[in-house]
């Protein structure tokens, strides 16, 4: 049998500036007719520093997360076989969009990972889980021993654009008001026992829904904007994509959801109201109760590609995950991307 991988270490960086939803809404010319904080569950989010003397962009957020991650890893930079960068936002040296050389290449040079294979990928908010998927397969195939997946997301610029431009009671830019900036990094290596292991990770894309959430230059100003059709994006048909795929995956192996005995589930942090609904749909489809869901949306908002691992980092830092906890991670990204990750964690620390 091919070896499994595991999460060996984790690091994160969250900017120190806190902006509440109340503050954000107070800056709008046309505030929403509904309680944005109540609907989304976002009380506050972290926002990067844009002062010239301490400017933070996507790359600096990613680098700070890498440094934090490697500070508690058994591997030094020279031991890393692969670096995969998965950011959606790609600001470097105060640029709005930076493409070459790749972030992964730049990170490898700065930390001294001279032996690493390096590449960037982009898969909307499923970026870090996609990087995990690819690295898991590389480790299981025997191609590499370990690797680093990293993302830095300086995405609150879309919230600034939304604040300036929203002029209707219902506007496709409302989802942009929930985002927060962050950086996160994880090291994977080969599992040595069942106490620390990624049991399986599978992902799928339903591209017919790709137009429902788009990040692009604003059609009204020089800003970057995100346009989301929330009514069509967050509905039962869309949520069933993931549960149906996981149920078929388990059935092919002669197992049920109840057999998996998950202790916790971590959803993409895109809306506090949507998560209980997703859990209810999953319980109906699986014929089994869902485990408690872990979330940080109230204090960090939607941090895009990093969201699952920001939750994991937060829970580890609060010592809320007993050794041997079995987690289900469920991506939800524009594309539409969905899937499932099953992992048991024991030695991972913050």
């Amino acid at each position: 049998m091919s070896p499994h991988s595991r999460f060996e270490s984790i690091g994160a960086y969250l900017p120190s500036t806190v902006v509440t939803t109340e503050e954000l809404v107070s800056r709008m010319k046309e505030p929403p007719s509904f309680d944005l904080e109540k609907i989304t569950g976002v009380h506050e989010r972290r926002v990067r520093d844009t002062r010239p003397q301490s400017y933070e962009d996507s790359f600096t957020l990613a680098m700070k997360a890498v440094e934090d991650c490697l500070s508690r890893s058994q591997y030094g930079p020279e031991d890393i076989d692969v670096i995969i960068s998965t950011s959606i936002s790609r600001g470097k040296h105060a640029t709005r969009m930076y493409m070459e050389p790749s972030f992964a290449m730049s990170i490898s040079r700065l930390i001294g990972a001279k032996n690493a294979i390096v590449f960037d990928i982009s898969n909307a908010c499923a970026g870090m889980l996609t990087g995990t998927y690819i690295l898991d397969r590389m480790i299981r195939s025997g191609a590499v021993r370990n690797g680093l997946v990293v993302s830095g997301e300086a995405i609150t610029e879309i919230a600034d654009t939304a604040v300036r431009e929203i002029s209707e009671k219902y506007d496709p830019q409302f989802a942009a008001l929930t985002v927060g900036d962050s950086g996160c990094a994880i090291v994977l290596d080969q599992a040595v026992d069942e106490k620390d292991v990624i049991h399986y990770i599978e992902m799928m894309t339903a591209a017919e829904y790709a137009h429902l959430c788009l990040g692009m230059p604003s059609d009204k100003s020089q800003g970057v904007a995100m346009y989301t059709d929330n009514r069509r994006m967050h509905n039962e048909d869309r949520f069933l994509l993931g549960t149906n795929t996981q149920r078929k995956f388990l059935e092919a192996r002669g197992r049920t959801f109840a057999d998996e005995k998950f202790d916790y589930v971590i959803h993409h942090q895109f809306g506090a109201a949507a998560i209980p609904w997703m859990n209810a749909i999953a319980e109906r489809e699986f014929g089994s109760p869902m485990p408690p869901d872990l979330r940080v949306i109230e204090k960090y908002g939607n941090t895009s590609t990093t969201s699952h691992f920001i939750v994991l980092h937060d829970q580890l830092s609060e010592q809320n995950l007993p050794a041997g906890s079995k987690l289900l991670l469920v991506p939800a990204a524009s594309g539409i991307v969905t899937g499932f990750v099953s992992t048991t964690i024991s030695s991972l620390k913050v």
Side-chain angles (χ1 to χ4, degrees), residues 43-108:
H43 175 65
E44 59 191 35
R45 76 280 290 138
R46 300 298 179 91
V47 176
R48 65 194 174 103
D49 194 336
T50 56
R51 295 174 298 174
Q53 68 272 24
S54 52
Y55 193 88
E56 293 176 327
D57 52 30
S58 309
F59 188 76
T60 57
L61 297 177
M63 275 300 305
K64 289 177 180 179
V66 168
E67 291 165 358
D68 184 47
C69 181
L70 292 180
S71 72
R72 59 180 65 92
S73 174
Q74 65 179 304
Y75 302 106
E78 68 282 357
D79 302 316
I80 299 296
D81 288 343
V82 187
I83 297 176
I84 306 174
S85 176
T86 68
S87 306
I88 297 174
S89 59
R90 298 183 57 83
K92 187 178 180 185
H93 304 315
T95 60
R96 183 169 290 162
M97 183 60 68
Y98 182 96
M99 298 304 296
E100 294 291 344
S102 72
F103 271 24
M105 172 64 78
S106 298
I107 289 169
S108 72

Side-chain angles (χ1 to χ4, degrees), residues 202-206 235-250 257 267 278 281-282 285-286 328-332 336-341:
E202 299 291 337
M203 302 186 74
M204 59 90 70
T205 299
N235 61 45
E236 183 167 337
D237 287 344
R238 209 279 291 163
F239 295 152
L240 283 172
L241 292 172
T243 53
N244 289 344
T245 303
Q246 187 173 8
R247 189 181 66 249
K248 291 175 182 177
F249 174 88
L250 292 171
F257 186 84
H267 289 280
M278 291 176 69
I281 292 171
E285 295 300 307
F286 292 138
L328 171 64
L329 281 62
V330 182
I336 294 286
V337 183
T338 185
F340 43 90
V341 183

Side-chain angles (χ1 to χ4, degrees), residues 137-204:
R137 295 305 196 265
M138 293 177 78
I139 292 171
R140 292 181 65 177
S141 74
V144 301
R145 301 163 301 167
N146 61 52
L148 174 76
V149 180
V150 57
S151 180
E153 295 292 12
I155 51 177
T156 51
E157 185 178 353
I158 63 173
D160 295 334
T161 302
V163 165
R164 291 194 309 269
E165 295 184 357
I166 286 177
S167 59
E168 305 290 338
K169 291 298 182 181
Y170 179 80
D171 192 284
Q173 290 195 66
F174 273 128
L177 299 172
T178 68
V179 301
D181 297 329
S182 68
C184 204
I186 50 171
V187 168
L188 274 68
D189 67 0
Q190 187 172 319
V192 296
D193 55 43
E194 289 295 310
K195 295 178 182 178
D196 282 291
V197 62
I198 297 176
H199 304 285
Y200 50 79
I201 172 170
E202 299 291 337
M203 302 186 74
M204 59 90 70

Side-chain angles (χ1 to χ4, degrees), residues 15-30:
S16 58
T17 300
V18 175
V19 175
T20 67
T21 297
E22 183 179 4
E23 291 176 65
L24 203 63
V25 170
S26 71
R27 290 161 37 198
M28 298 174 66
K29 294 179 181 178
E30 187 66 46

